[in-house]
Amino acid sequence: MAQTLTEEQIMIRDMARQFSQDRLAPGASAREAAGIIETDIVEEMGQLGFLGMTVPQEMGGVGADYVSYALALMEIAAGDGAVSTMMSVHNAPFCAILQRFASPEQQEAWLKPAAQGAFIGCFALTEPSTGTDAAAITTKATRSGNGYVLNGAKQFISSAKIGGATIGFAVTDPDAGKKGISAFCFEQGTPGFVVSEPEKKLGQRASDTCALTFDDMALGADALIGEEGQGLSIALSSLEAGRIGIASQSVGMAQAALEYAVAYALDRKAFGKPIFEHQAVAFRLADMDAQIESARQLVLNAARLKDCGQPCLREASIAKLMASQMAERVVSDAIQTLGGYGYLSEFPLERIYRDVRVCQIYEGTSDVQRINISRDLKRRYQQ
C-alpha cells in the first residue's frame, strides 16, 4: 500500500500512528473510565493539525487531502475509537460545513480557531423523534428583530459536553417542508442552551454524547450559515466526508484488534507450539487481515475520488457499510483468538468490541447506506 501513497501522505500517517500509540492507546481504558477526553490530548491534536486536516492553510488548517485524512483517522482510531469520533465529527461535518458555506466573517470567527484546535465543534441535527428522517425535525427558529429565537431539542450529539461551538438546525419556515430548515452556528454558553449529562453508552464512553435543549435561545443574524431554507442541503453536504471518516475509524479499530490477536497468537502456546502455528487460528487471522485490507481500499478509493472533486456518495456509502460491518466481525474473531482472556475488561479487545458497534449506526445506519447504494444502482440501470 505504501507504494501508492505520496511522501506527505506517508508522513501524516506515520505521525498519527506515533501519536496514537504513544499518547492514546496507553490511556484508552482510563479515558473510558473517566468518561472524557483530556484537555491536553485535544490540545496536542490541535498542535499536530489533526483538528483541521482538510481545511486550507489560509483558513487555519493543514490543507491535507482526504486520503491523508482517512489514513490519519485510521491510526487515531487504532489507539482510541472514542478520540477518533471526536476528531471525525470536528473535521466533517463541523469544519467541512464552515469551509463550504460560512461567510468570510464566520470563517474568521469560527473556522480558523476550530481548525487550529482552539475548541471542539459539534453537529446537532438528530432529534429525539427524528433520526434518519432529517427533514422531519421540529426545533424552531423564530424571527425576532434582526435575529432568531430557537426552541426545541436535539439528541445523540457527540462532544457536546467538551465542545465549544455547535452547528445546529432548526425550522425557519414550517410551510416550506424540506426547504424550510436553516443552519446556525453558536457557542456552547449561549443563554437558553442547555447540555444534558452524557448518556450512558455501550461503548465509546470517553466520547461524550448528550441531549441538547434550546429554551428561547436568542441568536443574532450573524449566526445563520448560508441562507434561510438552505439548512437541509448544508446538513447533507458533508455526507461523503462523514462516511469516509466513520469507515476509516472502523478500519483503524479492526486493525488494532488484529494486531493484538496476532501478537497473542504468536506468544500463546498450546499442544507444544504457538497457537499461530495451528491452521485453524492462522486461517482465522488471515481472513481478518484480508477483510481489513479490502475495507481499507474501499475507504481510500472513496477518499481519492473526493480529492479529485468527483461525486463519491455511492463509494463512501459502500465503504462505510462494508467497513463498519467488517470491523465488528474482525474484533469478534480477535476475541475468539484470545479465548477467555479476550472476554475480560483487562484486555483491550473487550473495549474495542463495544466501541466499534456504533459505527453501523451513526453517520447513517447500514440500512441508510443500502438505500443510497440501491438508488444509485437503480439510476444507472434505468438510463
Side-chain angles (χ1 to χ4, degrees):
M1 184 184 69
Q3 294 179 351
T4 69
L5 303 177
T6 67
E7 290 186 7
E8 181 178 356
Q9 290 164 348
I10 293 172
M11 180 191 71
I12 290 174
R13 181 201 64 190
D14 291 350
M15 179 177 66
R17 180 178 298 167
Q18 191 71 48
F19 171 77
S20 180
Q21 295 308 307
D22 290 349
R23 298 287 289 129
L24 298 183
S29 294
R31 201 171 293 117
E32 178 182 62
I36 195 168
I37 299 170
E38 311 94 304
T39 301
D40 60 331
I41 290 292
V42 177
E43 290 176 351
E44 285 184 56
M45 292 182 71
Q47 293 166 2
L48 291 170
F50 295 135
L51 299 180
M53 289 203 64
T54 61
V55 177
Q57 292 182 1
E58 61 269 23
M59 294 183 184
V62 173
D65 58 18
Y66 274 93
V67 169
S68 297
Y69 171 60
L71 292 168
L73 200 46
M74 290 175 193
E75 298 298 337
I76 297 299
D80 192 333
V83 175
S84 72
T85 291
M86 177 198 73
M87 174 179 164
S88 179
V89 174
H90 180 84
N91 276 277
F94 187 82
C95 286
I97 284 175
L98 292 176
Q99 179 182 334
R100 182 171 175 183
F101 295 99
S103 67
E105 294 77 16
Q106 290 171 327
Q107 289 176 346
E108 190 69 31
W110 297 108
L111 181 57
K112 279 191 175 182
Q116 293 167 353
F119 63 85
I120 294 300
C122 309
F123 179 79
L125 178 62
T126 300
E127 295 186 356
S129 58
T130 58
T132 299
D133 188 6
I137 66 171
T138 60
T139 296
K140 289 183 172 56
T142 307
R143 273 282 187 177
S144 178
N146 293 326
Y148 301 85
V149 174
L150 271 65
N151 284 282
K154 300 293 181 180
Q155 185 72 40
F156 304 129
I157 309 306
S158 298
S159 304
K161 204 68 176 180
I162 66 170
T166 295
I167 293 176
F169 299 83
V171 177
T172 47
D173 185 354
D175 299 324
K178 294 181 179 180
K179 296 183 179 180
I181 299 172
S182 300
F184 302 87
C185 189
F186 42 87
E187 293 182 359
Q188 241 68 339
T190 303
F193 179 26
V194 179
V195 179
S196 72
E197 286 302 303
E199 304 283 1
K200 292 178 171 59
K201 302 180 297 183
L202 174 69
Q204 297 206 21
R205 296 170 183 169
S207 170
D208 63 90
T209 303
C210 306
L212 311 179
T213 303
F214 309 125
D215 186 8
D216 288 335
M217 182 178 73
L219 299 176
D222 58 352
L224 179 69
I225 300 176
E227 301 176 357
E228 277 195 17
Q230 201 178 4
L232 188 60
S233 62
I234 289 174
L236 300 179
S237 69
S238 61
L239 289 180
E240 295 174 347
R243 286 164 185 175
I244 289 170
I246 303 307
S248 298
Q249 69 171 176
S250 299
V251 171
M253 284 187 270
Q255 183 68 42
L258 172 63
E259 291 174 3
Y260 198 88
V262 169
Y264 180 87
L266 290 171
D267 181 67
R268 176 77 169 182
K269 290 183 173 59
F271 305 103
K273 59 183 177 181
I275 63 172
F276 196 105
E277 300 301 323
H278 295 284
Q279 191 177 75
V281 175
F283 278 17
R284 181 192 302 126
L285 294 169
D287 284 343
M288 292 160 65
D289 189 32
Q291 291 176 67
I292 293 170
E293 187 60 30
S294 297
R296 180 184 288 111
Q297 295 307 320
L298 287 173
V299 176
L300 294 178
N301 177 59
R304 289 187 179 105
L305 288 173
K306 189 160 185 63
D307 285 331
C308 293
Q310 297 183 31
C312 62
L313 183 58
R314 168 182 175 268
E315 289 76 11
S317 295
I318 290 174
K320 202 268 192 186
L321 173 66
M322 302 306 289
S324 62
Q325 293 183 151
M326 170 281 297
E328 185 178 7
R329 290 194 306 270
V330 163
V331 181
S332 178
D333 285 345
I335 291 174
Q336 193 70 24
T337 302
L338 268 71
Y341 289 112
Y343 201 66
L344 300 181
S345 59
E346 299 166 30
F347 291 78
L349 294 180
E350 179 267 349
R351 171 180 49 79
I352 298 172
Y353 189 59
R354 290 184 289 102
D355 284 352
V356 84
R357 182 59 182 85
V358 75
C359 293
Q360 297 180 57
I361 299 173
Y362 56 13
E363 279 292 341
T365 64
S366 292
D367 287 338
V368 168
Q369 309 311 319
R370 293 186 178 97
I371 289 172
N372 292 332
I373 297 164
S374 63
R375 282 175 178 170
D376 184 85
L377 190 65
K378 182 180 179 181
R379 176 189 58 79
R380 284 184 287 128
Y381 279 88
Q382 277 190 334
Q383 289 180 349

